[in-house]
Amino acid sequence: MQYQEFKIGGMTCTACSGRIERVVKKLDGMESISVNLTAGMARAEYDESVLSSDDIINTIIKLGFEAELFSEENALKTHQHEIRQLKRSLFFSALLTFPLLLGMLFSWFGLHVHILHNPWLQLLLATPVQFLIGWRFYKHGFLALKAMSPNMDVLIALGTGAAYFFSLYNVLSGHTVPGSMEGLYFESSMTIITLILFGKYLEAHARAKTTDAITKLIALQPRTATLWEDGVGKIIPLSDIECGDILLVRPGEKIPVDGVIVDGNASIDESMLTGESMPNDKTIGDNVFCASILLSGSLRIRAERIGKDTTLSQIIKLVRSAQGSKAPIQKVADKVSAYFVPGILGIALITFVTWFLLTNQIETALTNAISVLVIACPCSLGLATPTAIMVGTGLAARHGILIKGGEHLETAHKLTTVVFDKTGTITSGEPSLTDMCSIGCERTVLLSAVSAVEQQSEHPLANAILKATQNEDIVVPTAKEFKNLSGKGVSGTVAGQKWMIGTRMLMEENCIEFACYEEKIAALEKMGKTVMLAACDGVFMGILAVADTIKPSAAYAISQLKEMGVSVYMLTGDNQQTADAIAKECGIENIFAQVLPSNKARKVQELQNTGQYVAMVGDGINDAPALATAHIGFAMGKGTDIAIESADITLMQEDLRLIPASIRLSDKTMKKIHQNLFWAFLYNSIGIPFAALGFLSPILAGAAMAFSSVSVVCNSLLLKLYHPEKTRKETRNEYNTIMD
């Protein structure tokens, strides 16, 4: 059995992806195939002794789509080509449409501009938009009808075609009023095509971001490594490394492979993999991971996993797999089109035949049949979803919520569970000095002396001490005879006194008595804080505790989610004790602690398997697979680029209240979409019988069609008045205050 991924172009709706799956699945040797509309990818498992990848590609191409074997490079080129093509089509479509829209506006105010109202000029401008730029809709609409699965392309082709061909008939038959736009609906057809192209252009940009995320993940891996042979370091390409090679890693360098330390002690920043802000002190026998950064010390490591087997490569694979396995969003209009389009065509045909038999006049029969098509033209139906989505995403952006695509805005209101990463999401992601207990001296003296020693240290915990000193405007003297006691702490001489700051082990080795303070130390550690002990000239002087503090908005945002009936979980690679302390402080009862980076996505999947709609909130590279696996991935704007681009929604402020705001906005937008669809069908339901009975001329039918579209757009624009960050209770209280 062979597993292969294919890049597919030309899909416009779920009917397209469904048609590919149905046809390809019937091929001999095909075990399974899953086509993802949003990602534009197919994942197939097949018997390579019976079926080849070329057979699959040729089958997809015969269905009217583009197909090729997936590769990172080809995917990037395909996205760039699609965006350029859409941008070019959108530009020319808007350029040709503008004069006709201008003419329509003039006619509304009774102003007649001869050149703009010339029917032949309008025909000249409309034809290339209709049949060159808009050809894609006719092509895919025809293929959808051929496969007996009508989609939005059929609706677009039907609506624009009815408006264009009725206008063409009036121009050729001379049924137009000189200096007027009566009987001409070219601008309606052109505007619909332009707006839809604009939406597709925005969607293409959003899809291109998924490729950027993968590309940046790959870029994290260093290109070279230093091979240690016979006591000499030699720089070689990463591709030349073999398992078992000994590699030298210096301070500031990225670790090139997954391996084991064979010599040296060091502090390593693994935040790009673990998401934890605290560096890890490691020594001989400890594991190290590709792309983590050596902060201090020097190491020699033995390569254990290289190339595609490293942890980083596995994360890349997880992100791509999760993005390719997302279920496509089924648009409401696509569902109803399967019944709506054949029904309208049937009514139009019955109208034509009936009137022809009654009057024996083909012109009367054609006019009434076209009236049915014009009044039933699904312009408002086609605008119902995208206009609400455009306004909703624009409103979200004004509130600091960047939503990559309309499908994510549609999905967010269904969420039943939100999973938070801890570090950098619930917490600030930077260690801060939270507690200090001075024993044998004044508090300022202790902080000043400790800062004097720590300012020569490279350890991130030292930065937390120095930051606290700066905030309190304390003068820091210069320390002499500084020593970095690897894995234990630091020491130095301040004003002739020898200070030591570090762990219990450091105190015990120097026979410094601190047992009577053990209860205090244990209590701080139970709260998930890192405790440092300080001594001066062999006498215990105090306790300092450093921790990653909770964001001010965390507790309130979590309480809002609970009020909305959403379950809240915390997911972290940290130990259970620290996780419990953080969770208790912000009001979370459900905790997943000590979760490896590769297992975060699995935890999200487990929740999904119970029938939950799951959102993941994170900011680190290690969160990327889980963000991509979740129904909705929320990334913090100050997080890593990889997390932001793997997520569906990015919060540009470090304010977790934007998460419940996003859900409320999604719910409000979906209500607007349902309202729009109701109005769209109401106009059709009322207007079609009148048109079929001959009581509605094509001109009035066109006016009703335009009014239907305007009402849908205006209803969508009402979303701009909505404040997603305020709950109903808060809005009601504000209203009552104003009234009082």
Side-chain angles (χ1 to χ4, degrees):
M1 299 301 296
Q2 175 73 25
Y3 172 85
Q4 190 61 263
E5 293 179 316
F6 301 87
K7 183 67 182 173
I8 301 178
M11 294 189 294
T12 58
C13 70
T14 53
C16 299
S17 57
R19 185 161 68 254
I20 294 172
E21 285 184 353
R22 286 195 301 273
V23 174
V24 176
K25 196 175 289 183
K26 294 178 182 178
L27 296 175
D28 291 338
M30 179 59 64
E31 178 69 19
S32 66
I33 181 169
S34 174
V35 181
N36 183 274
L37 171 66
T38 306
M41 286 180 59
R43 302 163 64 199
E45 188 176 2
Y46 57 93
D47 186 346
E48 61 181 345
S49 65
V50 179
L51 190 64
S52 70
S53 59
D54 289 338
D55 294 330
I56 298 172
I57 290 172
N58 291 333
T59 301
I60 296 173
I61 291 174
K62 286 178 182 178
L63 292 173
F65 302 97
E66 301 166 3
E68 62 182 358
L69 287 176
F70 176 83
S71 70
E72 306 295 349
E73 185 179 357
N74 288 341
L76 181 61
K77 289 180 179 178
T78 300
H79 279 310
Q80 291 174 341
H81 174 72
E82 181 184 8
I83 291 172
R84 284 196 302 268
Q85 192 177 42
L86 281 170
K87 186 177 181 180
R88 186 165 53 248
S89 297
L90 177 62
F91 172 77
F92 285 110
S93 183
L95 185 67
L96 295 173
T97 301
F98 179 74
L100 272 68
L101 282 177
L102 194 61
M104 181 184 68
L105 291 174
F106 284 152
S107 66
W108 283 358
F109 294 100
L111 301 174
H112 301 296
V113 181
H114 179 73
I115 187 170
L116 294 179
H117 294 153
N118 186 304
W120 293 101
L121 175 65
Q122 293 191 35
L123 175 61
L124 181 65
L125 294 175
T127 300
V129 174
Q130 193 76 27
F131 297 110
L132 294 179
I133 297 173
W135 176 248
R136 67 179 70 205
F137 304 121
Y138 289 92
K139 174 186 174 183
H140 293 298
F142 171 76
L143 291 170
L145 286 174
K146 185 179 177 182
M148 301 300 290
S149 56
N151 60 0
M152 278 301 294
D153 285 322
V154 174
L155 298 178
I156 296 165
L158 177 65
T160 59
Y164 177 86
F165 285 109
F166 181 67
S167 302
L168 177 64
Y169 167 75
N170 283 336
V171 171
L172 297 178
S173 63
H175 293 168
T176 58
V177 179
S180 170
M181 294 186 71
E182 291 185 23
L184 299 177
Y185 309 100
F186 290 122
E187 81 286 346
S188 297
S189 173
M190 298 167 72
T191 302
I192 292 168
I193 290 174
T194 303
L195 285 174
I196 292 169
L197 285 175
F198 179 64
K200 289 188 176 294
Y201 175 69
L202 295 179
E203 289 176 10
H205 261 295
R207 289 199 305 271
K209 292 296 183 182
T210 60
T211 303
D212 290 344
I214 299 293
T215 303
K216 289 184 178 181
L217 276 173
I218 295 172
L220 287 174
Q221 188 166 323
R223 301 292 179 221
T224 61
T226 303
L227 180 66
W228 185 260
E229 284 184 333
D230 301 325
V232 178
K234 176 185 177 184
I235 296 177
I236 62 172
L238 201 64
S239 57
D240 291 347
I241 296 175
E242 296 180 357
C243 289
D245 284 347
I246 304 300
L247 306 175
L248 174 66
V249 187
R250 302 179 180 89
E253 293 182 345
K254 290 181 179 180
I255 295 174
V257 296
D258 288 3
V260 176
I261 299 174
V262 295
D263 183 48
N265 300 289
S267 179
I268 300 176
D269 177 7
E270 295 180 340
S271 60
M272 45 72 62
L273 288 175
T274 65
E276 300 302 323
S277 57
M278 300 291 187
N280 291 321
D281 293 326
K282 298 200 174 187
T283 186
I284 296 173
D286 291 337
N287 293 319
V288 293
F289 302 98
C290 175
S292 53
I293 301 172
L294 192 64
L295 298 177
S296 63
S298 181
L299 294 178
R300 286 200 292 272
I301 64 173
R302 181 176 66 250
E304 297 286 336
R305 290 186 297 275
I306 61 176
K308 294 182 179 180
D309 296 325
T310 63
T311 303
L312 177 64
S313 296
Q314 292 302 311
I315 289 178
I316 293 171
K317 182 180 178 181
L318 283 170
V319 172
R320 192 169 65 203
S321 176
Q323 290 176 339
S325 63
K326 281 188 176 179
I329 304 301
Q330 179 68 47
K331 302 293 185 182
V332 176
D334 278 341
K335 292 180 180 179
V336 301
S337 65
Y339 306 98
F340 182 75
V341 177
I344 295 304
L345 290 174
I347 293 172
L349 180 61
I350 292 171
T351 300
F352 177 82
V353 172
T354 302
W355 278 101
F356 182 73
L357 293 175
L358 291 175
T359 64
N360 201 30
Q361 294 181 0
I362 192 169
E363 185 174 346
T364 301
L366 183 61
T367 299
N368 290 333
I370 290 178
S371 293
V372 171
L373 287 174
V374 171
I375 191 65
C377 175
C379 301
S380 55
L381 183 62
L383 292 170
T385 299
T387 54
I389 293 295
M390 284 181 182
V391 176
T393 50
L395 177 63
R398 290 210 313 271
H399 287 267
I401 305 167
L402 298 185
I403 303 173
K404 285 189 177 179
E407 65 271 20
H408 309 309
L409 183 60
E410 289 186 24
T411 303
H413 81 287
K414 300 178 183 179
L415 294 174
T416 58
T417 301
V418 175
V419 181
F420 286 92
D421 172 54
K422 180 179 74 69
T423 305
T425 303
I426 290 178
T427 65
S428 62
E430 296 180 358
S432 301
L433 180 64
T434 59
D435 301 87
M436 189 170 71
C437 177
S438 56
I439 308 298
C441 63
E442 293 291 331
R443 181 181 182 281
T444 54
V445 173
L446 175 63
L447 187 57
S448 175
V450 170
S451 298
V453 179
E454 292 285 5
Q455 69 181 347
Q456 298 186 46
S457 172
E458 298 175 346
H459 203 286
L461 294 182
N463 294 331
I465 305 294
L466 295 172
K467 187 176 180 180
T469 307
Q470 292 169 0
N471 292 339
E472 297 188 27
D473 200 23
I474 294 175
V475 177
V476 179
T478 302
K480 300 178 181 178
E481 301 175 5
F482 172 81
K483 290 182 181 180
N484 185 4
L485 309 171
S486 183
K488 300 174 185 177
V490 292
S491 68
T493 301
V494 181
Q497 296 177 310
K498 184 178 180 181
W499 284 81
M500 290 185 291
I501 304 99
T503 64
R504 286 184 178 86
M505 185 183 297
L506 180 62
M507 299 294 114
E508 291 168 353
E509 286 182 355
N510 289 273
C511 300
I512 297 171
E513 183 60 41
F514 64 95
C516 57
Y517 300 102
E518 184 61 45
E519 187 176 342
K520 172 73 172 177
I521 296 169
L524 291 170
E525 289 178 336
K526 191 173 182 180
M527 296 169 64
K529 299 178 180 181
T530 300
V531 177
M532 293 179 286
L533 309 180
C536 176
D537 288 337
V539 179
F540 188 68
M541 301 299 287
I543 303 168
L544 299 96
V546 173
D548 194 359
T549 55
I550 292 176
K551 291 178 180 176
S553 62
Y556 183 68
I558 290 164
S559 67
Q560 280 192 334
L561 289 170
K562 288 181 177 180
E563 288 178 10
M564 296 165 67
V566 177
S567 301
V568 181
Y569 287 75
M570 187 174 78
L571 183 65
T572 178
D574 216 334
N575 61 70
Q576 189 70 50
Q577 182 174 292
T578 302
D580 288 341
I582 296 294
K584 183 179 180 180
E585 189 173 346
C586 60
I588 297 177
E589 292 85 20
N590 306 304
I591 306 164
F592 294 131
Q594 295 178 302
V595 180
L596 295 174
S598 58
N599 288 336
K600 285 192 174 185
R602 190 179 303 165
K603 288 294 183 183
V604 171
Q605 185 68 58
E606 287 175 3
L607 291 171
Q608 290 175 324
N609 291 341
T610 64
Q612 301 292 313
Y613 266 83
V614 182
M616 174 68 192
V617 189
D619 74 322
I621 290 174
N622 67 301
D623 300 321
L627 289 169
T629 299
H631 291 100
I632 292 292
F634 287 92
M636 309 306 293
K638 292 184 179 179
T640 64
D641 289 343
I642 312 304
I644 291 171
E645 289 165 4
S646 296
D648 306 306
I649 300 176
T650 299
L651 308 180
M652 298 310 294
Q653 306 168 34
E654 295 293 299
D655 189 347
L656 295 179
R657 291 175 298 178
L658 294 179
I659 295 169
S662 302
I663 297 174
R664 285 194 291 267
L665 179 58
S666 169
D667 183 62
K668 192 73 172 180
T669 303
M670 285 305 298
K671 288 178 179 176
K672 283 296 178 186
I673 291 174
H674 291 144
Q675 292 169 7
N676 289 345
L677 291 172
F678 170 77
W679 283 112
F681 281 111
L682 180 65
Y683 280 109
N684 288 331
S685 300
I686 295 174
I688 289 172
F690 282 93
L693 294 172
F695 296 128
L696 196 63
S697 69
I699 294 175
L700 292 176
M705 177 189 70
F707 185 69
S708 173
S709 299
V710 170
S711 68
V712 165
V713 174
C714 290
N715 188 47
S716 296
L717 290 173
L718 290 175
L719 265 176
K720 289 188 175 182
L721 303 177
Y722 182 63
H723 296 281
E725 292 182 49
K726 296 179 181 178
T727 63
R728 290 181 181 178
K729 183 178 180 180
E730 290 170 336
T731 304
R732 187 165 57 249
N733 290 341
E734 283 188 7
Y735 173 77
N736 292 335
T737 301
I738 293 171
M739 294 303 292
D740 291 341

